[in-house]
Amino acid sequence: NEAGLGGGSMNAASILSYFVKKKIIKITKKEIIEISKLIGSDVILGLNYTNCVLNDKNEIKFFKNCKKFHTLIVKPNFGCSTKEIYSKVKKFKKAIFKYPNKKMFNTEYLKKMDNSLEHVALNKYAKLREIKSFLENIPKLEFVRMTGSGSALVAYFQSKERCEYAKKKFDKKYKNYWCITSKT
């Protein structure tokens, strides 16, 4: 809830997938794409379990054999209102997904990425800034990003061991916050 993880969109994708898989509805792939777009632009991403980019024309481009990361996803005990965060963005960075390519999955490229919403959320919530700073100071971290409009943060690591170490440190300092490790 108010985590910026696309929960509503992914729930819709799961239900749509279930209906198609169980043959409750019989539709073509083209119809699935059209239904997904009616629900939300990112719903289609929840129907695909692979490295993909949704470009500026709402088309998906798939990529194989991309770098894998171990992630620590943390969710503070407060959320960020998507409407409020979006309303305070003065200028959105220009989208760079016009011509998606495999280099978008390289570590150095991802480190340079920016979330225009993150600046607003970090300015509004000092605790979110504190958590991000804590994560950024964990050894061998690649980078940290806020998810969507927040309040969840994701820390990216090259190794499972480093990610598990980060989880232990986070759990020790922030006992009342939810966190989980995962892999891209």
Coordinates of all heavy atoms in Angstrom, one line a residue, residues 3 5 72-78 131 151-154 167 170-171 174-182:
A3 N 3.4 1.9 -1.8 CA 4.8 1.5 -1.8 C 5.5 1.9 -3.1 O 6.7 1.9 -3.2 CB 5.0 0.0 -1.6
L5 N 5.2 0.0 -5.8 CA 5.6 -1.2 -6.5 C 4.6 -1.7 -7.5 O 4.7 -2.8 -8.0 CB 5.7 -2.3 -5.4 CG 6.9 -2.1 -4.4 CD1 6.8 -3.1 -3.2 CD2 8.2 -2.3 -5.1
L72 N 17.6 -6.0 -2.4 CA 16.9 -5.9 -1.1 C 15.8 -4.9 -1.2 O 16.1 -3.7 -1.6 CB 18.0 -5.4 0.0 CG 17.4 -5.2 1.4 CD1 16.8 -6.4 2.0 CD2 18.4 -4.5 2.3
I73 N 14.6 -5.3 -1.0 CA 13.5 -4.4 -1.1 C 13.0 -4.0 0.3 O 12.8 -4.9 1.1 CB 12.3 -5.0 -1.9 CG1 12.8 -5.5 -3.3 CG2 11.1 -4.0 -2.1 CD1 11.8 -6.4 -4.0
V74 N 13.0 -2.7 0.6 CA 12.6 -2.3 1.9 C 11.3 -1.4 1.8 O 11.2 -0.6 0.9 CB 13.7 -1.6 2.7 CG1 14.9 -2.5 2.8 CG2 14.1 -0.3 2.0
K75 N 10.5 -1.5 2.8 CA 9.2 -0.7 2.8 C 9.1 -0.1 4.2 O 8.9 -0.9 5.2 CB 8.0 -1.6 2.4 CG 6.7 -0.9 2.7 CD 6.4 0.2 1.8 CE 5.0 0.8 2.0 NZ 4.8 1.6 3.1
P76 N 9.2 1.2 4.3 CA 9.0 1.8 5.6 C 7.6 1.7 6.1 O 6.7 1.2 5.3 CB 9.4 3.3 5.4 CG 10.0 3.4 4.1 CD 9.6 2.1 3.3
N77 N 7.3 2.0 7.3 CA 6.0 1.9 7.9 C 5.1 3.1 7.5 O 4.1 3.4 8.2 CB 6.0 1.7 9.4 CG 6.7 2.8 10.1 OD1 7.1 3.8 9.5 ND2 6.8 2.6 11.4
F78 N 5.4 3.8 6.4 CA 4.5 4.8 5.9 C 4.6 4.7 4.4 O 5.4 4.1 3.8 CB 5.0 6.2 6.4 CG 6.4 6.6 5.9 CD1 6.6 7.2 4.7 CD2 7.5 6.2 6.7 CE1 7.9 7.5 4.3 CE2 8.8 6.5 6.3 CZ 9.0 7.2 5.1
I131 N 16.8 6.3 5.3 CA 16.9 4.9 4.9 C 17.7 4.8 3.7 O 18.6 3.9 3.6 CB 15.5 4.4 4.7 CG1 14.7 4.3 6.0 CG2 15.5 3.0 4.1 CD1 13.2 4.1 5.9
S151 N 6.8 4.4 -1.2 CA 7.9 4.7 -0.4 C 8.9 3.5 -0.3 O 9.9 3.6 0.5 CB 7.4 5.0 1.1 OG 6.8 3.8 1.6
A152 N 8.7 2.5 -1.1 CA 9.7 1.4 -1.1 C 11.0 1.8 -1.8 O 11.0 2.6 -2.7 CB 9.1 0.1 -1.7
L153 N 12.1 1.2 -1.3 CA 13.4 1.4 -1.9 C 14.0 0.0 -2.2 O 13.7 -0.9 -1.6 CB 14.3 2.1 -0.9 CG 14.0 3.5 -0.5 CD1 14.7 3.9 0.8 CD2 14.4 4.5 -1.6
V154 N 14.8 0.0 -3.3 CA 15.4 -1.2 -3.7 C 16.9 -1.0 -3.8 O 17.4 -0.1 -4.5 CB 14.9 -1.7 -5.1 CG1 15.6 -3.0 -5.5 CG2 13.4 -1.8 -5.1
K167 N 20.5 -7.2 4.3 CA 19.2 -7.5 5.0 C 19.4 -7.6 6.5 O 18.7 -7.0 7.3 CB 18.6 -8.7 4.4 CG 17.2 -9.0 5.0 CD 16.6 -10.3 4.4 CE 15.2 -10.5 4.9 NZ 14.9 -10.3 6.3
F170 N 20.0 -4.1 7.8 CA 18.8 -3.3 7.8 C 17.8 -3.8 8.9 O 17.2 -3.0 9.6 CB 18.1 -3.5 6.4 CG 16.9 -2.5 6.3 CD1 17.1 -1.2 5.9 CD2 15.6 -3.0 6.5 CE1 16.0 -0.4 5.8 CE2 14.5 -2.2 6.4 CZ 14.7 -0.8 6.1
D171 N 17.6 -5.1 9.0 CA 16.7 -5.7 10.0 C 17.1 -5.2 11.4 O 16.3 -5.0 12.3 CB 16.7 -7.2 10.0 CG 15.8 -7.7 8.8 OD1 14.9 -7.0 8.4 OD2 16.0 -8.9 8.4
Y174 N 16.3 -1.2 11.5 CA 14.9 -0.8 11.3 C 14.0 -2.0 11.6 O 13.5 -2.7 10.6 CB 14.8 -0.3 9.8 CG 15.6 0.9 9.5 CD1 16.8 0.8 8.9 CD2 15.1 2.1 9.9 CE1 17.5 2.0 8.6 CE2 15.8 3.3 9.7 CZ 17.0 3.2 9.0 OH 17.8 4.3 8.7
K175 N 13.9 -2.4 12.8 CA 13.1 -3.6 13.2 C 11.7 -3.6 12.8 O 11.1 -4.6 12.6 CB 13.2 -3.7 14.7 CG 14.6 -4.0 15.2 CD 14.7 -4.0 16.7 CE 16.0 -4.4 17.3 NZ 17.2 -3.7 16.8
N176 N 11.1 -2.4 12.7 CA 9.6 -2.4 12.4 C 9.3 -2.2 10.9 O 8.2 -1.9 10.5 CB 9.0 -1.2 13.2 CG 9.1 -1.5 14.7 OD1 8.9 -2.6 15.1 ND2 9.3 -0.5 15.4
Y177 N 10.3 -2.2 10.1 CA 10.1 -2.0 8.6 C 10.2 -3.4 7.9 O 11.0 -4.2 8.3 CB 11.1 -1.1 8.0 CG 11.0 0.3 8.5 CD1 11.9 1.3 8.1 CD2 10.0 0.8 9.3 CE1 11.9 2.6 8.5 CE2 9.9 2.1 9.7 CZ 10.8 3.0 9.3 OH 10.7 4.3 9.7
W178 N 9.4 -3.5 6.9 CA 9.4 -4.7 6.1 C 10.5 -4.7 5.1 O 10.8 -3.7 4.5 CB 8.0 -4.8 5.3 CG 7.9 -6.0 4.4 CD1 7.4 -7.2 4.8 CD2 8.2 -6.0 3.0 NE1 7.4 -8.0 3.7 CE2 7.9 -7.3 2.6 CE3 8.7 -5.1 2.1 CZ2 8.1 -7.7 1.3 CZ3 8.9 -5.5 0.8 CH2 8.6 -6.8 0.4
C179 N 11.2 -5.9 4.9 CA 12.2 -6.0 3.9 C 12.3 -7.5 3.4 O 11.9 -8.4 4.2 CB 13.5 -5.5 4.3 SG 14.4 -6.5 5.5
I180 N 12.7 -7.6 2.2 CA 12.9 -9.0 1.6 C 14.0 -9.0 0.6 O 14.2 -7.9 -0.1 CB 11.5 -9.5 1.0 CG1 11.6 -10.9 0.6 CG2 11.2 -8.6 -0.2 CD1 10.2 -11.5 0.2
T181 N 14.6 -10.1 0.4 CA 15.6 -10.2 -0.6 C 15.0 -10.9 -1.9 O 14.0 -11.6 -1.7 CB 16.9 -11.0 -0.2 OG1 16.4 -12.3 0.2 CG2 17.6 -10.3 0.9
S182 N 15.5 -10.5 -3.0 CA 15.0 -11.1 -4.2 C 16.1 -11.1 -5.3 O 17.2 -10.7 -5.0 CB 13.8 -10.3 -4.7 OG 13.2 -10.9 -5.8

